[in-house]
Amino acid sequence: MKIFFLRTLFLLFLVFLQISFFDILFSWFRAPLFLLGVVVIFTLVRGFPSALFMTIPLTLLFDTISLGAVTWFSLYAVIFSYGTSFLSRRLLIEHRGMGLGLYALVAYGGAFLYQALFSFIMYTYFAKSSFASPELIPSVESLIFSLVVESLLFVLMYFVVSRAEEYFSHINQQQFRSVR
Amino acid sequence: MTLRRKFTQTKLFRALIAAAFLLFCIIFQPRFIMEPLRAVLATVSWPIHGVFSSLAFEIRDGVHFLSSIGELKRENERLHQETVRLMAENTKWQAVASENEELRQELALLPRETFDLKAAQVIGRDAAGAGNWLTVDQGTRQGIKRGMPAIAYGSVLIGRVTEVFPESARIMPLTHPDSVVSGVTVPGQAQGIVKGEYGLGILFDMVLQDTTLQSSDRLVTSGLGGELPQDLFIGTLQAVRLSPDHLYQQASVIPPVDFSSLRYVFIIKNTQ
């Protein structure tokens, strides 16, 4: 119960960070950049099957707080997590030592793909019935800036999530010992 | 001998199960769980949102300041010229205002209403969509009610309050697809409906063909229906065309402020 409570608090903290911090900082980016990075980290740290138990609640909490309805983002995050898991062995074996940097790129790529899909759908729908030209694609400077920040954050968050997982595992073992 | 896993033990199977579960949720939307949970989280989390959003605004302002140092001199000169121009314009309007006041007294008209404003800080934005909502740090405890208009500096209409929690509220901006406001152009007095366009733009629609619309006309609220005060600035018309059915005129509207970069808004409390 304690672990469930702590994990929920941890997930809520990540969601609040996305909604109130990163979305204000990167207001032109139409994808939850930070949360997609966290999904990649969960997949790397816990493995895909266990990561699902964090990814799904994380995205559902995000949907609940932001819109009050389940959106396609949750489904995208699960598919993205599966894709990361699919890539993980190959990337780590072939690029030992710089794996984390590559995963940061994967996370950014995932966010960029989400934004591209969103923009494509909006533009297709928008172009049919409107004649305004909204700026759906951010500038190159903005993309580079977000890539740098996302990469740095990814490395930082990797260690934060790893430590948190170690801590949860430690508490789990303590509870198990006390039962025995 | 090679050990083969059953399909039900593979990652793909688990991914499919998870995807099916989420698809089920997307189609059937378990709002009976999400709505109460959302209300509780919105009530307890506003201080955290406040801290995170303040930090984000400070960092963003800092980065913006550093990146714009080179432009500051040019910007300063431009603002100085603008100040002089506005001072001259202000003098002219002061004369018009006093004349208007005298005429109102002569005609025994009521004075124009002054707004009871409540300042609010933006503490959250739509992350996955197209800026479809803003969360502010004022709620029912501060007297905020559903339907109240939110403005930025200079009486620029931002949107309306759609959800209220004890310490926070959610504002639907004019760009939201469900946003509908009655507007009128200045000059020209062309009346129409101001609609949001999928969270990405604003459209001035349903304007009769016998009225004149020009691309530089300014759009303000008409006050029809009584939900919004009159003369709140909405934006400037950009491009004008006929509606797809050729019955009405339409125009795209450029709002004077970028909704995604707003830090503070003001909620008008005395509209009803």
Side-chain angles (χ1 to χ4, degrees), chain A residues 16-17 20-21 23-25 27 30 48-49 64-66 68-70 74 78 85 122 125-126 129-131, chain B residues 11 14 19 22 29 31 34 38 45 49 52-53 56 60 123 125-127 130 133 170 197-198 239 241 252 260:
Chain A
F16 293 152
L17 209 57
S20 293
F21 185 78
D23 200 51
I24 284 170
L25 205 57
S27 55
R30 297 180 198 280
F48 175 69
T64 303
I65 294 169
S66 63
V70 186
S74 300
V78 167
S85 162
M122 292 307 284
Y125 187 42
F126 200 76
S129 55
S130 176
F131 60 103
Chain B
K11 284 181 190 174
R14 286 167 196 188
L22 289 171
Q29 293 295 348
R31 286 183 191 270
M34 296 181 94
R38 187 170 178 233
S45 66
H49 284 304
F52 283 160
S53 59
R60 201 182 67 176
I123 57 169
R125 274 191 68 246
D126 182 7
W133 50 262
R170 194 159 284 211
E197 291 216 293
Y198 323 111
R241 73 164 186 191
S252 57
S260 67

Side-chain angles (χ1 to χ4, degrees), chain B residues 30-48:
Chain B
R31 286 183 191 270
F32 62 98
I33 304 171
M34 296 181 94
E35 288 297 338
L37 183 63
R38 187 170 178 233
V40 170
L41 287 173
T43 307
V44 298
S45 66
W46 70 269
I48 306 167

Side-chain angles (χ1 to χ4, degrees), chain B residues 142-177:
Chain B
Q142 289 78 31
I144 305 301
K145 289 178 189 159
R146 207 178 152 178
M148 285 179 171
I151 58 170
Y153 48 86
S155 295
V156 176
L157 183 66
I158 299 298
R160 270 190 281 195
V161 175
T162 49
E163 278 181 283
V164 196
F165 304 104
E167 295 287 352
S168 61
R170 194 159 284 211
I171 294 168
M172 178 172 73
L174 291 174
T175 51
H176 193 284

Side-chain angles (χ1 to χ4, degrees), chain B residues 66-133:
Chain B
L66 288 174
S67 63
S68 64
I69 282 176
E71 291 174 16
L72 284 179
K73 197 177 170 218
R74 214 172 340 137
E75 181 72 6
N76 192 28
E77 279 173 18
R78 195 187 62 78
L79 286 174
H80 182 69
Q81 287 172 358
E82 184 74 6
T83 310
V84 174
R85 191 185 66 78
L86 287 173
M87 276 169 70
E89 201 169 314
N90 194 27
T91 313
K92 190 178 83 182
W93 287 119
Q94 274 177 351
V96 174
S98 70
E99 187 185 327
N100 182 36
E101 195 60 37
E102 284 166 22
L103 287 170
R104 279 181 171 275
Q105 280 173 3
E106 280 179 27
L107 293 168
L109 291 174
L110 288 171
R112 284 197 181 277
E113 56 188 327
T114 49
F115 301 136
D116 177 12
L117 297 175
K118 186 79 191 169
Q121 189 186 339
V122 174
I123 57 169
R125 274 191 68 246
D126 182 7
N132 278 324
W133 50 262

Side-chain angles (χ1 to χ4, degrees), chain A residues 4 10 21 23 28 52 67 73 82 92 107 115 123 132 151 158 161:
Chain A
F4 173 77
F10 184 57
F21 185 78
D23 200 51
W28 34 264
L52 279 179
L67 274 176
F73 171 67
Y82 179 71
L92 277 184
Q115 161 128 356
Y123 189 76
S151 305
Y158 183 84
V161 172

Side-chain angles (χ1 to χ4, degrees), chain A residues 50-159:
Chain A
S50 310
L52 279 179
F53 292 102
M54 292 297 269
T55 303
I56 295 176
L58 177 76
T59 53
L60 287 180
L61 274 175
F62 173 70
D63 281 346
T64 303
I65 294 169
S66 63
L67 274 176
V70 186
T71 66
W72 293 100
F73 171 67
S74 300
L75 194 60
Y76 180 82
V78 167
I79 295 167
F80 185 52
S81 173
Y82 179 71
T84 307
S85 162
F86 193 75
L87 280 174
S88 63
R89 277 191 215 157
R90 204 176 185 94
L91 275 179
L92 277 184
I93 290 167
E94 290 185 359
H95 303 280
R96 220 164 176 70
M98 51 187 288
L100 217 53
L102 286 171
Y103 282 119
L105 273 179
V106 168
Y108 187 77
F112 188 77
L113 182 67
Y114 184 85
Q115 161 128 356
L117 279 173
F118 176 83
S119 300
F120 176 73
I121 293 166
M122 292 307 284
Y123 189 76
T124 313
Y125 187 42
F126 200 76
K128 278 182 190 167
S129 55
S130 176
F131 60 103
S133 51
E135 287 181 13
L136 288 166
I137 307 293
S139 65
V140 179
E141 291 89 355
S142 310
L143 288 175
I144 292 170
F145 176 65
S146 55
L147 174 63
V148 172
V149 175
E150 162 75 7
S151 305
L152 292 173
L153 263 174
F154 186 85
V155 176
L156 180 72
M157 278 313 293
Y158 183 84
F159 289 107

